[in-house]
Amino acid sequence: WGIDANKQAVAFCHQRNLPRVYQEKFPHLKKITAKFDVITCLDVLEHIETDRQALGTIKKLLKSGGYAIITVPAYPWLFSYWDTILGHYRRYSKTELKQKVKKAHLTIVKLSFVYAFLLPPVIPFRLIRHQLFKAKTPRSDFIKLPAIFHAALFFLATIEQKIIARASVPFGVSLLCVVTHK
């Protein structure tokens, strides 16, 4: 099952034999009424003005004992032109995400920062680019990197994944929150 607000994304899924992907705008769902064991909401909440309503929809769609895996961009102070381009309403502090999840009556199983290895280069990159493009039309932050960089980043992400399975990471560019509905 899946939803996307983008018609082309849904068509792409249908072409790949994924018939239960619907064009809907989260959290206002009409076609999906089933209950789920697992829901993924990966880099979605920051695009929704009423994120509390979205968390309520997640709770409504979760079976009792089910889990939701949520990721969001971290650090409100890092909000920049890039977030605006991407259609973000906000970036989250750990405390803010924790409070909103609890207000939605969901239980946090795991809350950790992720992509810690990206934070040191992202901070100066975003701050410098933000200053450079304040009065101009900003360009994309996506930069083509040699394959060796992709391999190195994948390796670092794999190591971090193993760490997060056992403990929480104290900083990173995103937050990972696993919740359950009892």
Side-chain angles (χ1 to χ4, degrees), residues 43 46 71-76 83 88 90-93 173-175:
D43 288 351
E46 66 274 12
T71 60
V72 294
Y75 301 120
D83 293 281
H88 294 177
R90 73 198 68 74
R91 294 180 76 89
Y92 291 82
S93 70
V173 294
S174 293
L175 285 162

